[in-house]
């Protein structure tokens, strides 16, 4: 599991909407109720960087997240760039 922000487009009525899920799963159109719409795009929110008062926290949604992300704080940095580097180099080296 991980955490995703999925973007959907309804082929029946043309509505666009976003929804957060623990998978890239299908959703129901909020306007016309058409079922089994697949995400057209998806943002991986497994790792999030949250900036507050000059401190940038790296948050991680663990494997057992299902109905909500259950974010865990992994580390804190004083710059957003350092936080991004931490995600890229330490948490996600396979994607580099
Ligand atoms: Zn629709």
């Amino acid at each position: 599991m991980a955490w995703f922000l999925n973007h959907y487009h309804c082929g029946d009525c043309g509505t666009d909407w976003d929804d957060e899920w623990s998978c890239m799963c299908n959703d129901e159109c909020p306007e016309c109720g058409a079922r089994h719409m697949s995400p057209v795009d998806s943002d991986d929110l497994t790792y999030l960087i949250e900036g507050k008062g000059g401190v940038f926290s790296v948050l991680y949604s663990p494997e057992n997240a299902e109905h909500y992300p259950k974010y865990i704080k992994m580390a804190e940095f004083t710059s957003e760039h350092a936080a991004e580097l931490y995600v890229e180099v330490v948490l996600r080296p396979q994607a580099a």
Side-chain angles (χ1 to χ4, degrees):
M1 292 290 184
W3 201 252
F4 294 98
L5 176 64
N6 294 328
H7 305 284
Y8 297 92
H9 176 79
C10 177
D12 287 357
C13 72
T15 300
D16 293 298
W17 75 99
D18 297 327
D19 219 340
E20 292 187 12
W21 290 101
S22 57
C23 60
M24 289 181 63
C25 40
N26 293 348
D27 200 8
E28 189 173 303
C29 175
E31 285 298 318
C32 71
R35 286 164 181 258
H36 310 304
M37 291 298 164
S38 305
V40 290
D41 199 4
S42 191
D43 298 331
D44 186 344
L45 298 182
T46 303
Y47 298 108
L48 255 197
I49 296 169
E50 188 186 65
K52 213 183 273 175
V55 175
F56 296 87
S57 304
V58 176
L59 305 177
Y60 166 62
S61 172
E63 294 293 311
N64 63 358
E66 275 182 45
H67 302 295
Y68 58 99
K70 293 183 181 171
Y71 280 120
I72 296 169
K73 189 182 287 186
M74 302 291 284
E76 284 184 343
F77 296 93
T78 51
S79 87
E80 187 170 18
H81 183 63
E84 285 169 357
L85 273 181
Y86 177 75
V87 172
E88 276 171 36
V89 177
V90 179
L91 300 177
R92 212 179 240 169
Q94 73 278 9

